[in-house]
Amino acid sequence: MGKKVHDDVLDGALSVLRTTVTRMTACAGEPASYAEANVGGGKFLADVTMSSSDFTISDGDASGRKVRTAQKTGVTIDHNGTVDHVALLDTANSKLLYVTTCATQVLTAGNTMTFNAWDIELADPS
């Protein structure tokens, strides 16, 4: 028996990110909660404001659909530490929506950093 999913179903999940993410944070270690990933949290190093225009939904690279998160440059680093995770937050509802790993980099407070563009891809069922 075959499996299929319409793009609208995958886009629905990706649209939650596009319409509710308001902050992206650089974290030292994987945050287990909104509080850890947010400003002042134990894993928090830097943040940038996000809006729906920072997310583009399109066909996935391999299959399915993806949302591309825009590059953000000149982001002020708030705390010293080694970034290895990026978190997407819904600050209106205090939700940690998505966490992923990133290239490890030592950050120094007062300097700036760049969040490179990156994708979240949802594959077609197989």
Side-chain angles (χ1 to χ4, degrees):
M1 179 180 280
K3 300 175 186 174
K4 295 182 184 194
V5 64
H6 193 278
D7 285 350
D8 290 351
V9 173
L10 300 178
D11 287 355
L14 299 173
S15 290
V16 169
L17 295 172
R18 185 181 65 207
T19 60
T20 61
V21 170
T22 53
R23 181 175 294 143
M24 180 165 51
T25 63
C27 298
E30 180 181 355
S33 67
Y34 173 83
E36 280 189 344
N38 198 18
V39 176
K43 307 279 185 181
F44 171 82
L45 299 175
D47 71 307
V48 64
T49 300
M50 303 292 285
S51 71
S52 61
S53 64
D54 291 315
F55 298 93
T56 305
I57 296 174
S58 63
D59 287 332
D61 294 333
S63 73
R65 302 288 284 167
K66 70 179 180 182
V67 63
R68 165 134 308 185
T69 304
Q71 180 180 38
K72 295 292 203 170
T73 60
V75 177
T76 300
I77 300 166
D78 297 303
H79 301 283
N80 295 329
T82 301
V83 61
D84 57 6
H85 284 78
V86 174
L88 298 177
L89 308 178
D90 170 358
T91 57
N93 296 297
S94 300
K95 290 182 181 178
L96 175 62
L97 294 176
Y98 194 88
V99 176
T100 190
T101 57
C102 64
T104 301
Q105 182 180 356
V106 175
L107 302 181
T108 303
N111 289 342
T112 61
M113 64 167 288
T114 295
F115 285 98
N116 292 322
W118 56 285
D119 299 334
I120 299 169
E121 188 163 334
L122 301 177
D124 286 331
S126 57

